Amino acid sequence: MSASNGAPANIDLSVDIGGVTLTNPTIAASGCYNRGAEFGRVVDISAYGAITLKSVTREPRLGNAMPRIALTPAGMLNAIGLEGPGIDYFVAHEAPKLSSVPTVVIASAAGFTVGEFVDVASAIDGLPGVAAIELDVSCPNVDSEGECFAVDPRTTDAVVAAVKRRVKLPVIAKLTPNVADIRPIARAAEEAGADAISLVNSLRAMAIDVERARPTLANGTGGLTGPAIRPVAVYQVWESAQTVRIPIIGMGGIETGRDALELMMAGASAVAIGTANFRDPLVAAHVRDAIAEEARRRGFASVRALTGLANPGFAGKRWPADRRPQRLGVSR
Amino acid sequence: MSASNGAPANIDLSVDIGGVTLTNPTIAASGCYNRGAEFGRVVDISAYGAITLKSVTREPRLGNAMPRIALTPAGMLNAIGLEGPGIDYFVAHEAPKLSSVPTVVIASAAGFTVGEFVDVASAIDGLPGVAAIELDVSCPNVDSEGECFAVDPRTTDAVVAAVKRRVKLPVIAKLTPNVADIRPIARAAEEAGADAISLVNSLRAMAIDVERARPTLANGTGGLTGPAIRPVAVYQVWESAQTVRIPIIGMGGIETGRDALELMMAGASAVAIGTANFRDPLVAAHVRDAIAEEARRRGFASVRALTGLANPGFAGKRWPADRRPQRLGVSR
Amino acid sequence: MASDAPLLETATLISREQVAPGFWCLGFRSPRIARAAGSASYVAVDVPGVFSVRLPLGIWTTRDDEFSLLFREWGDRTRRLARLSVGSGVSCIGPLGNHFSIPVKGSTALIAAGGIGIVPFWLLTRELRAAGVNVRAIVGARTKAHLNGVAQLREAGADVTVCTDDGSEGDKAMVLDLVKRVHAANVIYGCGPLGMLRALCAHASENRIQCEISMEETFGCSMGTCWGCVVPVRRGSQQGSGYPPSPRDSRTYDFARVCVDGTVFPASDVLWLEAYA
Amino acid sequence: MASDAPLLETATLISREQVAPGFWCLGFRSPRIARAAGSASYVAVDVPGVFSVRLPLGIWTTRDDEFSLLFREWGDRTRRLARLSVGSGVSCIGPLGNHFSIPVKGSTALIAAGGIGIVPFWLLTRELRAAGVNVRAIVGARTKAHLNGVAQLREAGADVTVCTDDGSEGDKAMVLDLVKRVHAANVIYGCGPLGMLRALCAHASENRIQCEISMEETFGCSMGTCWGCVVPVRRGSQQGSGYPPSPRDSRTYDFARVCVDGTVFPASDVLWLEAYA
Ligand SMILES: Cc1cc2nc3c(=O)[nH]c(=O)nc-3n(C[C@H](O)[C@H](O)[C@H](O)COP(=O)(O)OP(=O)(O)OC[C@H]3O[C@@H](n4cnc5c(N)ncnc54)[C@H](O)[C@@H]3O)c2cc1C
Ligand SMILES: Cc1cc2nc3c(=O)[nH]c(=O)nc-3n(C[C@H](O)[C@H](O)[C@H](O)COP(=O)(O)OP(=O)(O)OC[C@H]3O[C@@H](n4cnc5c(N)ncnc54)[C@H](O)[C@@H]3O)c2cc1C
Ligand SMILES: Cc1cc2nc3c(=O)[nH]c(=O)nc-3n(C[C@H](O)[C@H](O)[C@H](O)COP(=O)(O)O)c2cc1C
Ligand SMILES: Cc1cc2nc3c(=O)[nH]c(=O)nc-3n(C[C@H](O)[C@H](O)[C@H](O)COP(=O)(O)O)c2cc1C
Ligand code: FES
Ligand code: FES
């Protein structure tokens, strides 16, 4: 009953994220996979339905001092600081390699002002081999006292709307879990025209090196990821799925197929995997096969039927993908 | 070099929380210890510097349906739903037993309106054997669409100020981590006259029972606690300690002395332990001794010198306990 | 149904046997707990490794300074427990929980056990036999591999009939089917899946047979402090919270904590609400 | 300093020895990794149990289809690894990282190892000896119990001098003190605590001796994707990121990833910034 790739035969594994078709619902999370070349040395990265590139900023960035990583119970902290070459170098030297990636590529744009987001996203738009643009709106907003864009519906709207006006590729707004209520933020992203949202980014957190009486990370604070945060991710996907009709990419602590199914049943159309790659490079294949197997067990023809299955308030089921809402206009 | 209780001799273990002196900085967290009678069957609960009672509401409450508990990586979810007998029964039947508790008792008040908080706190005020009142402002506010009081500085202020006007006992405001920025909330509590703040309460989270395609908890969502959330707690204590001068009771995922020291060095004057009791009933003694040992190792006469040690912006050191700020007036 | 104060003791793992795929029997030396255990007693086990709350497991057998646990590999904690090496020390709190009540000499007791629900009945059988009570037992499981402990129950003095859902061992029947065929019982004791317990309670009530069941819920503290493990019981029943009625939820029942008020409840006190559906 | 693609292989634990309090030597059968390993190779170990990122550990010795790991019990992952029972399968990725470079025949190499920093040097000694290079080694540790692997290094063909901070074994001296007394070395190889490495690099640069060090950082992915394990290197050095300078941070150096660009770096490329203080 199994296809050669380990997934049950006859189950339609494909999902649609803002008009982009993925062969299966697993996505490598931004910042954890680059363009797959490194993990491609040990596993077949085409197990992923898509991979999300590391977020690119307009200017080159050196990133934070080290240590940049700390281990925590069932998770880890990171404070990389968006180290990267900047968009010009990216376009000139890294983008040309993307066409050879054996799966769908989602680029990720980060910025500290709305203008930076627009510049980076515009430069990405139309690059061969890039299927969609994710906006890492969890960055601090330098125009607003360093508060993160995605803690406020207005700044979320500002970034997404400005980018949407300029690019043709589908736009995914990546939201932060560091909010009291995700719903207005998710709604703002949808109303600003986002084709999908993805959540959750890392939780603001920190660790103290007790021996030396100072923060373990050179940067002080960092982002918590991994299985420890999965219950928070499930909750925020659940809430968002009751609020928006655009597809949701759920992530945060997925390690097994069961974990991925939690997020899908809460309302995610696809799932992204970050930290778990750092334990199991085969995680995408395992998760993909478990999702297919669950669809088979329930007699579903498509894994899409799993989305929102546990969520009675799931909004997506009342909103076919081809009837996406017009922008309703949020006060800006 | 050890006193009979296992802590190093000659180290002053006592801490002051809003005028209440605890023999050591460990506190049993609300909802996890009752008045100690149950754990007192297997261990000596006087290892705790104080215990916090389960939150009491004005009316009796049946609480949520079961399951109320779910296990998660390095943590657990709970949705008890504030089951309890209500304040009248508490005063009549449970309060009389408090005088025999062999350590300091902090009562905890919960409410769904400001008036309920005031009623419960007033009824507690003056009960023999109660040294302070903690306000569980992480409850949903029925006057404001069920949003939790402690996600908004104004509602936090409203509860704390109203209670402070009515009670003589020191008041501790217990804050929620489910906010984008803890600082304005902590400041609002301080300015409203809170004698201390405690944080963090549980993180909003949930789990899905994939087998049955429905939330694992009968209530749907629940609160995440245990070691998984410790990095979030450290971060929020760190931020609060740079903001307020009143003492902070740090909690969230403390399992060992090292964990408690993380929170103290981030800025907590005392630490509360909840979920870890459900693994190790001796946790208070272990944590107390490790704190004392760390003070000894560093040549400190008092464990109080550990508070804020890793936090260069720690506000408490510039603000002696006897010069607590006047209320500065927050817009209400 | 009272019980003495539980003990905190480091138990030493002395034997470890996989009795069927996914089922384990672990023997521990733990003199104080082993000697204090009674029917339906359980221990709260601190599984070494990364944090989890204590794992409640029924005490299966005892002999002098030793007790054994019989459990299924359910998830994280039971998996880790099953992989400990002999000689390891494991912190246990126990014996916890109340006991089944013992009827007068000469009565006939009927035990109804579903799957791993057999665990509380070895100690009960011994107590019943010591009190001069005849013990019949119906032990059922989904399939043969899930049927464990029958031989020991027989050794302890029970007259055991076995059934499986798929007929792979004993009758192809449900436990309740066989229970209904036994007419001589003065008292029924049940432990197993909720569906079985619910049907058993209905049967006992219809036939006015005294019945006690040992219940299960997801535990937090195992000590009675967290109110995480509650089940609804008849308002005013002895094991319920006894709190005053709430104006908000027009309470028609009380909650009782399985961990310290139970795990044993009179069938007539247990309510089977929607929540169980 | 190049290296071939790493392998994902389930290694079987075949031996397990506590070589000193808190120090372990574990032997694994893992044919493909064992045969591909070279000096400074490491494996990224998936420690069974609750989630953690893979644990990087240097390959200590190899023989045919087997390799061994020599490690200190630092924290959670090393503690759990040390407690696995013989026969367990453990997923490893390796060999990872680049290699030390080997000088011309007849040269003299000096190894400077601090504590557990001895690990990369068994394979290096073998490679050096095979290339006809003389190998002297200074191995230091805080105290005698922290001094492990010296006998094996001697067997591999190194002329080893030992020192401890407290004089409990060998000279009471720091590694660098003894390094300074060796004048014949054409190349120095270092691994150990940061303070030692920093001083070693300064010594090599002052005396214009070629020097390579194997570095360490907290790893996330161990594969080069997360940029969590970076160290600052001279701008333009071969192992650095080579990204354009940033207008914001007026970059004076590059970052290199220890996990895939290293772990071996020429001493002359490594920068010792405030961050190390
Ligand atoms: C007082 C008491 C005594 C017990 N005694 C025994 C005993 O003697 N032997 C024994 O095998 N078990 C016993 N149990 C059950 C055992 O404690 C639980 O199954 C426990 O959840 C296992 O923990 P875990 O971490 O291994 O699995 P968990 O991670 O808790 O569960 C893994 C998965 O299995 C499912 N699951 C867990 N337990 C059950 C269950 N009981 N029924 C159906 N699905 C379940 C969960 O939903 C989850 O999906 C007892 C429980 C109680 C409360
Ligand atoms: C490429 C590479 C190869 C390595 N090879 C070996 C090896 O062969 N043998 C070996 O013993 N270790 C080796 N290490 C170090 C080992 O990977 C780390 O010490 C690791 O953190 C241990 O993980 P843990 O989960 O057990 O402890 P953690 O939980 O990571 O750490 C526990 C505590 O120890 C402290 N700590 C951890 N590592 C160090 C350190 N290196 N120096 C000082 N304090 C530390 C931490 O700050 C923490 O407080 C290597 C590291 C790298 C990057
Ligand atoms: C080392 C690391 C770097 C990350 N970098 C980025 C990034 O550049 N942009 C981004 O949107 N998210 C980034 N993330 C967040 C992940 O994409 C993901 O949202 C988060 O890790 C939660 O998923 P997980 O628990 O599966 O890792 C990073 C995460 C990690 C662990
Ligand atoms: C079962 C349970 C019940 C709780 N009930 C309350 C409560 O009634 N009032 C309250 O303020 N906090 C309550 N809490 C939160 C704890 O007091 C504490 O803030 C939280 O658990 C974090 O600490 P921990 O990780 O050490 O458990 C409860 C926590 C648990 C696990
Ligand atoms: S498990 Fe906590 S009250 Fe029963
Ligand atoms: S550990 Fe991830 S890049 Fe080196």
Side-chain angles (χ1 to χ4, degrees):
Chain A
M1 278 300 289
S2 268
S4 65
N5 61 10
N10 308 325
I11 303 290
D12 179 2
L13 279 161
S14 69
V15 295
D16 178 286
I17 301 296
V20 180
T21 302
L22 313 187
T23 55
N24 79 68
T26 63
I27 303 177
S30 179
C32 301
Y33 219 68
N34 283 357
R35 59 186 161 80
E38 295 83 359
F39 278 106
R41 295 170 75 200
V42 290
V43 296
D44 177 5
I45 66 161
S46 73
Y48 272 114
I51 62 177
T52 315
L53 307 178
K54 191 171 155 55
S55 300
V56 188
T57 52
R58 191 170 64 186
E59 256 62 69
R61 284 175 59 86
L62 192 49
N64 294 323
M66 65 289 171
R68 291 176 168 185
I69 304 262
L71 305 183
T72 69
M76 63 175 255
L77 285 170
N78 84 79
I80 310 298
L82 289 171
E83 168 159 4
I87 188 64
D88 295 342
Y89 183 100
F90 173 84
V91 169
H93 296 94
E94 302 192 356
K97 301 174 193 156
L98 296 177
S99 306
S100 63
V101 176
T103 184
V104 169
V105 173
I106 300 168
S108 169
F112 301 88
T113 64
V114 173
E116 288 185 16
F117 272 106
V118 171
D119 290 348
V120 174
S122 310
I124 289 169
D125 198 38
L127 285 177
V130 176
I133 304 176
E134 186 171 88
L135 303 177
D136 180 7
V137 271
S138 313
C139 301
N141 174 0
V142 293
D143 289 345
S144 145
E145 295 174 349
E147 236 195 16
C148 153
F149 286 96
V151 299
D152 186 331
R154 283 165 308 192
T155 43
T156 304
D157 173 275
V159 174
V160 175
V163 169
K164 275 301 283 184
R165 272 195 293 271
R166 288 285 297 277
V167 305
K168 289 187 210 69
L169 284 180
V171 168
I172 303 161
K174 177 151 179 193
L175 307 182
T176 172
N178 302 305
V179 293
D181 188 351
I182 193 74
R183 294 169 301 174
I185 319 281
R187 196 177 298 117
E190 176 175 57
E191 291 176 353
D195 300 277
I197 57 172
S198 62
L199 67 167
V200 297
N201 212 317
S202 58
L203 270 165
R204 285 285 281 279
M206 80 188 289
I208 305 285
D209 181 336
V210 166
E211 182 78 20
R212 308 198 208 180
R214 66 182 196 200
T216 306
L217 298 175
N219 187 53
T221 66
L224 183 63
T225 64
I229 71 165
R230 192 174 61 241
V232 173
V234 173
Y235 168 65
Q236 298 210 342
V237 166
W238 169 276
E239 293 274 292
S240 302
Q242 298 188 350
T243 308
V244 300
R245 273 87 172 178
I246 49 178
I248 297 172
I249 301 171
M251 76 190 89
I254 295 176
E255 202 191 348
T256 66
R258 201 206 61 81
D259 304 343
L261 287 162
E262 274 200 84
L263 284 151
M264 289 188 73
M265 289 184 176
S269 296
V271 289
I273 305 168
T275 311
N277 292 292
F278 303 174
R279 176 182 213 176
D280 180 9
L282 291 166
V283 60
H286 295 151
V287 167
R288 174 199 63 197
D289 295 351
I291 293 171
E293 172 56 27
E294 180 72 10
R296 191 201 56 73
R297 186 174 83 84
R298 294 186 177 271
F300 296 157
S302 158
V303 297
R304 295 188 294 277
L306 295 165
T307 295
L309 200 63
N311 193 338
F314 177 50
K317 64 187 161 205
R318 301 191 300 272
W319 203 286
D322 51 9
R323 289 193 35 238
R324 193 113 12 81
Q326 295 304 303
R327 235 173 136 241
L328 303 177
V330 164
S331 66
R332 232 167 290 169
Chain B
M1 280 299 293
S2 268
S4 66
N5 61 11
N10 307 324
I11 303 290
D12 180 2
L13 278 162
S14 70
V15 295
D16 177 284
I17 302 294
V20 181
T21 301
L22 314 187
T23 56
N24 78 68
T26 65
I27 302 176
S30 178
C32 302
Y33 220 70
N34 284 354
R35 59 185 161 80
E38 295 83 358
F39 279 105
R41 295 169 74 202
V42 289
V43 296
D44 177 6
I45 66 159
S46 74
Y48 273 113
I51 64 177
T52 315
L53 306 178
K54 192 170 155 56
S55 301
V56 188
T57 52
R58 189 169 66 188
E59 257 63 69
R61 285 175 59 85
L62 191 49
N64 295 323
M66 66 288 172
R68 290 176 169 186
I69 303 261
L71 305 183
T72 69
M76 63 175 256
L77 285 170
N78 84 79
I80 310 300
L82 289 170
E83 167 158 5
I87 188 64
D88 294 343
Y89 183 100
F90 174 84
V91 169
H93 297 94
E94 301 191 358
K97 303 174 192 157
L98 296 177
S99 307
S100 62
V101 177
T103 183
V104 169
V105 173
I106 300 168
S108 170
F112 301 88
T113 64
V114 172
E116 286 184 18
F117 271 105
V118 171
D119 289 350
V120 175
S122 310
I124 290 168
D125 198 40
L127 286 177
V130 177
I133 304 176
E134 186 171 86
L135 304 177
D136 179 6
V137 271
S138 313
C139 299
N141 175 359
V142 293
D143 289 345
S144 144
E145 296 174 347
E147 235 194 18
C148 153
F149 286 96
V151 300
D152 186 331
R154 282 164 308 193
T155 43
T156 305
D157 173 275
V159 173
V160 175
V163 169
K164 274 299 284 184
R165 273 194 292 273
R166 289 285 296 277
V167 305
K168 287 188 211 69
L169 283 181
V171 168
I172 303 161
K174 177 152 178 191
L175 306 183
T176 171
N178 302 305
V179 293
D181 188 352
I182 193 73
R183 293 169 302 175
I185 320 282
R187 196 177 297 120
E190 177 176 58
E191 291 176 354
D195 300 277
I197 57 173
S198 61
L199 69 163
V200 298
N201 212 316
S202 58
L203 269 167
R204 285 286 281 282
M206 81 187 289
I208 305 286
D209 182 335
V210 166
E211 182 77 21
R212 308 198 208 180
R214 66 182 196 199
T216 307
L217 298 175
N219 186 54
T221 66
L224 182 63
T225 64
I229 71 165
R230 192 174 63 242
V232 174
V234 173
Y235 168 65
Q236 298 210 341
V237 166
W238 170 275
E239 293 274 293
S240 303
Q242 298 188 351
T243 308
V244 300
R245 271 87 174 178
I246 50 178
I248 297 172
I249 301 172
M251 74 190 90
I254 294 175
E255 202 192 349
T256 66
R258 201 206 61 83
D259 305 342
L261 287 162
E262 274 199 84
L263 284 151
M264 289 187 73
M265 288 185 177
S269 295
V271 289
I273 304 168
T275 311
N277 291 292
F278 303 174
R279 176 182 212 175
D280 180 10
L282 291 166
V283 59
H286 294 151
V287 167
R288 173 199 65 196
D289 294 351
I291 293 171
E293 172 55 27
E294 180 73 8
R296 190 201 56 72
R297 186 174 82 85
R298 294 186 177 271
F300 296 157
S302 158
V303 298
R304 295 187 294 280
L306 295 165
T307 295
L309 199 63
N311 193 339
F314 178 51
K317 62 187 162 203
R318 301 192 298 271
W319 203 287
D322 50 10
R323 291 189 35 237
R324 190 114 11 83
Q326 296 304 303
R327 247 184 120 231
L328 302 177
V330 163
S331 66
R332 231 168 290 169
Chain C
M1 300 202 278
S3 103
D4 288 331
L7 305 155
L8 177 62
E9 187 168 53
T10 301
T12 307
L13 182 61
I14 52 174
S15 65
R16 176 173 169 276
E17 192 194 348
Q18 184 161 15
V19 293
F23 288 84
W24 297 83
C25 186
L26 266 50
F28 291 89
R29 183 175 337 274
S30 182
R32 299 192 304 143
I33 293 175
R35 290 181 186 273
S39 68
S41 286
Y42 73 96
V43 281
V45 182
D46 176 4
V47 182
V50 175
F51 179 85
S52 62
V53 303
R54 278 182 189 250
L55 167 70
L57 288 176
I59 296 181
W60 169 227
T61 62
T62 63
R63 206 177 69 181
D64 305 333
D65 286 354
E66 300 167 12
F67 68 76
S68 71
L69 304 176
L70 176 66
F71 61 93
R72 181 164 168 186
E73 210 175 301
W74 296 97
D76 177 49
R77 293 171 299 173
T78 45
R79 187 174 312 123
R80 280 152 58 195
L81 184 64
R83 270 152 199 69
L84 288 182
S85 43
V86 169
S88 306
V90 178
S91 169
C92 291
I93 300 176
L96 287 160
N98 64 354
H99 303 306
F100 289 111
S101 44
I102 305 294
V104 294
K105 192 168 168 166
S107 339
T108 295
L110 177 61
I111 286 170
I116 201 73
I118 197 171
V119 169
F121 295 129
W122 188 90
L123 278 165
L124 176 64
T125 299
R126 290 235 308 193
E127 288 177 13
L128 290 169
R129 298 297 296 143
V133 177
N134 304 312
V135 184
R136 288 213 50 189
I138 317 289
V139 179
R142 202 136 51 78
T143 185
K144 189 177 168 174
H146 291 210
L147 205 56
N148 292 290
V150 172
Q152 289 94 321
L153 209 61
R154 290 204 170 110
E155 275 166 40
D159 171 8
V160 184
T161 308
V162 158
C163 60
T164 50
D165 294 2
D166 62 1
S168 53
E169 176 102 22
D171 288 21
K172 180 170 169 161
M174 308 284 273
V175 170
L176 195 72
D177 301 334
L178 301 193
V179 164
K180 285 182 175 162
R181 292 190 211 151
V182 179
H183 299 289
N186 304 101
V187 51
I188 305 182
Y189 303 100
C191 185
L194 276 178
M196 177 200 122
L197 293 182
R198 184 177 192 158
L200 187 71
C201 289
H203 166 76
S205 129
E206 277 160 31
N207 296 279
R208 298 174 178 277
I209 310 173
Q210 192 199 331
C211 176
E212 290 180 352
I213 60 173
S214 170
M215 299 196 73
E216 218 185 270
E217 253 304 323
T218 311
F219 281 12
C221 66
S222 300
M223 296 294 292
T225 67
C226 77
W227 289 83
C229 63
V230 297
V231 290
V233 291
R234 197 173 40 75
R235 178 132 181 78
S237 82
Q238 211 200 318
Q239 288 159 287
S241 64
Y243 292 159
S246 154
R248 287 225 174 108
D249 47 35
S250 60
R251 164 200 304 259
T252 58
Y253 53 91
D254 276 358
F255 275 130
R257 295 162 298 182
V258 174
C259 68
V260 291
D261 299 319
T263 61
V264 176
F265 295 89
S268 53
D269 279 353
V270 177
L271 297 183
W272 300 95
L273 303 178
E274 288 307 312
Y276 284 122
Chain D
M1 299 203 281
S3 103
D4 288 331
L7 304 155
L8 178 61
E9 188 169 52
T10 301
T12 308
L13 183 60
I14 51 173
S15 66
R16 177 172 168 276
E17 192 195 346
Q18 185 161 16
V19 292
F23 288 84
W24 298 82
C25 187
L26 267 51
F28 291 90
R29 184 175 332 277
S30 184
R32 299 193 304 144
I33 293 176
R35 290 183 185 273
S39 68
S41 286
Y42 73 96
V43 282
V45 182
D46 176 5
V47 183
V50 176
F51 180 85
S52 63
V53 302
R54 279 181 189 249
L55 167 69
L57 289 177
I59 296 181
W60 168 227
T61 63
T62 64
R63 205 177 70 178
D64 305 334
D65 284 355
E66 299 168 10
F67 68 76
S68 72
L69 303 175
L70 176 66
F71 60 94
R72 183 164 165 184
E73 211 175 302
W74 297 96
D76 176 50
R77 292 171 299 171
T78 44
R79 188 176 310 122
R80 280 152 59 196
L81 184 64
R83 272 153 197 69
L84 289 181
S85 43
V86 170
S88 306
V90 178
S91 169
C92 291
I93 300 176
L96 286 160
N98 64 353
H99 303 307
F100 289 111
S101 44
I102 306 295
V104 295
K105 190 167 168 169
S107 339
T108 296
L110 177 61
I111 286 170
I116 201 72
I118 196 172
V119 169
F121 295 128
W122 187 89
L123 278 165
L124 175 65
T125 299
R126 289 235 308 190
E127 289 176 13
L128 291 169
R129 297 299 294 145
V133 176
N134 303 313
V135 184
R136 289 213 51 187
I138 316 290
V139 180
R142 202 136 52 77
T143 183
K144 190 177 166 173
H146 290 212
L147 205 57
N148 292 290
V150 173
Q152 289 95 320
L153 210 60
R154 289 203 170 110
E155 276 166 39
D159 171 8
V160 183
T161 308
V162 157
C163 61
T164 51
D165 294 2
D166 62 1
S168 52
E169 177 102 20
D171 287 22
K172 178 169 173 166
M174 309 283 273
V175 171
L176 194 71
D177 301 334
L178 301 193
V179 164
K180 285 182 177 164
R181 292 191 212 151
V182 180
H183 297 290
N186 305 100
V187 51
I188 305 181
Y189 302 100
C191 185
L194 277 179
M196 179 199 120
L197 293 181
R198 185 178 192 156
L200 187 70
C201 289
H203 166 75
S205 127
E206 276 160 32
N207 296 278
R208 299 174 177 274
I209 310 172
Q210 193 199 328
C211 176
E212 292 180 351
I213 59 173
S214 170
M215 299 195 73
E216 219 185 86
E217 254 302 325
T218 312
F219 281 11
C221 65
S222 299
M223 295 293 292
T225 68
C226 77
W227 290 83
C229 64
V230 297
V231 290
V233 291
R234 196 173 42 75
R235 178 133 181 78
S237 82
Q238 211 200 316
Q239 289 160 286
S241 64
Y243 291 160
S246 153
R248 287 224 176 110
D249 45 34
S250 58
R251 162 202 303 259
T252 58
Y253 53 92
D254 277 357
F255 274 130
R257 296 162 298 182
V258 173
C259 67
V260 290
D261 299 319
T263 61
V264 176
F265 294 88
S268 52
D269 280 353
V270 177
L271 297 183
W272 300 95
L273 304 178
E274 286 308 310
Y276 284 122

